[in-house]
Amino acid sequence: MAKLLLLNGPNLNLLGQREPDIYGHETLSDIERNAQEKAATLGHQLDYLQSNHEGVLVDRIHQTLTDGTDMILFNPGAFTHTSIALRDALAGVKRPFIELHLSNVHAREDFRHHSYLAPLAVGVIAGFGSNSYALAIEAADHYLKK
């Protein structure tokens, strides 16, 4: 059994009401519940955290140094395109991670095409709506079994 950490960045607490034509109608609670079930089905433990505050996410990433986290699944939201601090935190802890997004960021505004985190990630999953989370858990399972 692996310990997975699911992190969600800013504004993802508004899922279900924020731009449903882009992000869908499921709430973050729905997504977390489904992710928990998917991880358990594969025999893994899943912890999760959402924050609109960059420092809270940095602190939680640092905590993986001592809490037994094997892999991070991270939807950094808008921090994808702006946060060198999150990039440095992920580089510092040297935990494998998967960057994930609900929407296909490459089919959206130009400023969303650049990720500070993707060059460090094991992989990136984007554009599959809430199923991006299930795909990320499956990818983590596959990666950790290698």
Side-chain angles (χ1 to χ4, degrees), residues 4-13 15 23 26-28 30-36 38-39 42 46 48-50 73-77 98-103 125-141:
L4 308 175
L5 172 63
L6 174 60
L7 295 176
N8 283 287
N11 301 310
L12 292 166
N13 57 303
L15 289 175
Y23 301 109
E26 288 184 87
T27 66
L28 183 58
D30 295 333
I31 290 170
E32 290 170 341
R33 183 180 58 256
N34 292 338
Q36 190 91 26
K38 179 69 171 181
L42 294 171
L46 180 73
Y48 47 86
L49 170 74
Q50 184 277 328
L73 311 173
F74 195 7
N75 182 345
I98 295 171
E99 180 182 320
L100 70 112
H101 301 279
L102 293 158
S103 68
I125 297 171
F128 296 97
S130 63
N131 198 42
S132 291
Y133 289 83
L135 293 169
I137 292 167
E138 289 175 16
D141 180 65

Side-chain angles (χ1 to χ4, degrees), residues 3 22 43 59-60 63 76 80 94 104-105 110 123 131 140 144:
K3 184 173 181 181
I22 295 173
D59 288 343
R60 184 61 186 94
Q63 190 179 347
T80 305
K94 296 183 174 75
N104 179 355
V105 293
D110 286 345
N131 198 42
L144 292 168

Side-chain angles (χ1 to χ4, degrees), residues 27-132:
T27 66
L28 183 58
S29 294
D30 295 333
I31 290 170
E32 290 170 341
R33 183 180 58 256
N34 292 338
Q36 190 91 26
E37 290 172 6
K38 179 69 171 181
T41 298
L42 294 171
H44 304 302
Q45 176 187 341
L46 180 73
D47 294 331
Y48 47 86
L49 170 74
Q50 184 277 328
S51 182
N52 295 316
H53 304 281
E54 186 178 40
V56 170
L57 295 167
V58 167
D59 288 343
R60 184 61 186 94
I61 291 166
H62 290 175
Q63 190 179 347
T64 66
L65 288 170
T66 59
D67 73 359
T69 295
D70 296 297
M71 188 160 204
I72 300 169
L73 311 173
F74 195 7
N75 182 345
F79 287 146
T80 305
H81 324 290
T82 63
S83 183
I84 295 169
L86 286 169
R87 183 222 176 272
D88 288 350
L90 290 161
V93 300
K94 296 183 174 75
R95 292 288 175 275
F97 75 95
I98 295 171
E99 180 182 320
L100 70 112
H101 301 279
L102 293 158
S103 68
N104 179 355
V105 293
H106 299 288
R108 297 186 60 197
E109 304 93 341
D110 286 345
F111 69 86
R112 296 187 194 275
H113 298 180
H114 179 263
S115 169
Y116 281 102
L117 311 181
L120 300 177
V122 168
V124 178
I125 297 171
F128 296 97
S130 63
N131 198 42
S132 291

